[in-house]
Structure formats: structure tokens, C-alpha cells
Amino acid sequence: MKKPIKIRATGLGHPEGPYELDDGRVIYANTYASEIGFWDPKTNTQGQYAFVGGGPNACMLGSDGAVYSTQTPNVGAWVAPVHRPPSIQKTLPDGKVEILVTEADGKKFDGPNDLTFGADGRLYFTDSGDWNPADKPHPGRIIVIEKNGVAKILEELDYVYPNGIVAEPDGSIVWVESYTLKVVRRKPDGTKTHLWTLPDGHIPDGFKIDVDGNFWITAVAGGGVDVIDTNGKFLHFVETGGTILNCCFGKGGKLFCCDMGPFDVTGAAMTGRLIEVDVGVEGMPLFRGAIG
């Protein structure tokens, strides 16, 4: 189905990982600008929420009022002008930015990508490394950060580029793999299930869960969002156009998507947009936690 879009923010560079705050503002990782940006629906204005340096890739609110974000210093050929180590960052309500953690089990991160708090209050994220589908330079990892700030490797993966990640109410973690096009669930006991493989050309990036437990998966080169149920059955495709990198649900049945515009991994084109699509479906309330 083709859905009309509303453009909410423009001139963005590789926008990723949006999140709707309690006051209605939508924050997002504006990677090539090394910042967390925002769009305010009350004033229909966009701006900088926080300068974090490096290349932020996703962000979300914690129960402590801080914004947690993934940090990777390069995307393809683009290298951040203000270097930050691959890490998880925390932006406090007063604007102070902290680097929380840079390694797990003695291994430094290659390139944290997407993140989510689980039902247990811990922070889970994908460590995907550099985007390079030809050479696949880094193996993937699923990492969890305990509430005390200690990071542990939950899963060592092959060279699959784990990307978007979500947490389910029963404690399961689900992620997508951009190189393999797979959707994978990990139950709390460690059992893994391959739920679905996206169609050719539908490289999965980010995704979220709706109130019925269905997964809304952004298809980078597919120009929209694939929707599957909790068991991996395909439901439908929402066509938005553009190069859709990640999404989040907003109040009132809205879906906010980060559209990169023309695909660019050099950092030269600041043609990304935040778009809004009325899908008539509410998102599952996201879990929150606090680290450190």
C-alpha cells in the first residue's frame, strides 16, 4: 500500500534511530552532523538537541531523563571530523554528554548501531562494525549493558551486520541482519529462531513493534516498510519512497521514518529527511531503563 508522507525535518545527514519524547518532540541521530537533532510538532521547527561528536546512529530516552545513543565514528567512506570512540553515549538533561562504555568482555566495540532497553531495564544493542557488504570487515555482536554499566557480549555472530534491535515483553530480543536479510529472535534462555528473510533488495535497517506484536521493518533500498507478525508471517508492505533507514511510532497512529534521500556514504549530501506516515496503528510502549 502507498501512503502519503508529511515532511517534518530536512537537510539531515544520514538520519537514524528516531524516538518520540514525552513532550511530543521527535529526536533522531543526525549522523553526518555529529548531533542528536529534534523536530518539535508544537512549533514545526527542527534543531539540535545535543552535539555528541562522532557519528551517532540511534537514540532513545532512559528512565532517568537522559538520552542514550550509539556512537560509531564512520559510515562507509565517511569519517567523523570530531572523533569519538565506538561506544554508547549518555546525554544528560543538562546537556552534558558522557561516554558510558567502549568495550565488552575485554573486546572494544567495532561500531554500535541500534539500541533498545529491555523489559529487565538493561540496555541491548547491535555492534555491527563498518558498513561494507563487499568485504564484510567485522563480525557482528549483540551486547547487553547491565544497570551498573558493565557490558557483556550476549551473542557472537558471523559477518552478518546486525542492525535494528527490539525487545519483547517476555524478555526476548529480536534483531535484523542487513547482509543476510534475516530477522532473528533470541529467547531469554538463549534459544534463537530465524523468523523471516526479507525479499531481495529489501535490506533491513531499523524496526519497531506495534501494539499487536507485529514488526515494522524499514527496507533501505525498498522504499518503505515491511510488516510481519510475531511469528514471521508477512502481512503487508507500506510504500513511502526514499531511502528509509529507521523508524519509530508516534502517538495517534503515526510512524516517523528517517529517510536518507539519495544513498550517500561520503557525508557530502545532507539531503536526509524525517517523514511522518499515518499508519493508523499504535506502537508498543518502549521499555526504559537507566545505566550508570
Side-chain angles (χ1 to χ4, degrees), residues 83 167 239 242 261:
H83 181 74
E239 183 182 351

mmCIF file of all heavy atoms in Angstrom, residues 83 167 239 242 261:
data_model
loop_
_atom_site.group_PDB
_atom_site.id
_atom_site.type_symbol
_atom_site.label_atom_id
_atom_site.label_comp_id
_atom_site.label_asym_id
_atom_site.label_seq_id
_atom_site.Cartn_x
_atom_site.Cartn_y
_atom_site.Cartn_z
ATOM 1 N N HIS A 83 36.338 13.162 16.408
ATOM 2 C CA HIS A 83 36.357 11.728 16.703
ATOM 3 C C HIS A 83 35.783 11.411 18.083
ATOM 4 O O HIS A 83 36.028 12.117 19.053
ATOM 5 C CB HIS A 83 37.785 11.194 16.630
ATOM 6 C CG HIS A 83 37.873 9.714 16.908
ATOM 7 N ND1 HIS A 83 37.466 8.771 15.997
ATOM 8 C CD2 HIS A 83 38.298 9.030 18.012
ATOM 9 C CE1 HIS A 83 37.637 7.563 16.514
ATOM 10 N NE2 HIS A 83 38.135 7.700 17.730
ATOM 11 N N ALA A 167 13.039 -5.139 21.800
ATOM 12 C CA ALA A 167 12.829 -6.022 22.952
ATOM 13 C C ALA A 167 11.350 -6.337 23.088
ATOM 14 O O ALA A 167 10.499 -5.452 22.968
ATOM 15 C CB ALA A 167 13.339 -5.348 24.223
ATOM 16 N N GLU A 239 4.542 1.480 1.363
ATOM 17 C CA GLU A 239 5.420 2.199 0.448
ATOM 18 C C GLU A 239 5.475 3.682 0.824
ATOM 19 O O GLU A 239 4.443 4.349 0.915
ATOM 20 C CB GLU A 239 4.928 2.060 -0.991
ATOM 21 C CG GLU A 239 5.833 2.725 -2.014
ATOM 22 C CD GLU A 239 5.299 2.614 -3.426
ATOM 23 O OE1 GLU A 239 4.319 1.870 -3.638
ATOM 24 O OE2 GLU A 239 5.858 3.286 -4.318
ATOM 25 N N GLY A 242 11.815 6.987 -1.009
ATOM 26 C CA GLY A 242 13.010 7.377 -0.278
ATOM 27 C C GLY A 242 13.895 6.210 0.104
ATOM 28 O O GLY A 242 13.682 5.061 -0.321
ATOM 29 N N GLY A 261 17.344 9.973 1.773
ATOM 30 C CA GLY A 261 17.360 10.608 0.466
ATOM 31 C C GLY A 261 18.249 9.795 -0.467
ATOM 32 O O GLY A 261 18.397 8.591 -0.293
#
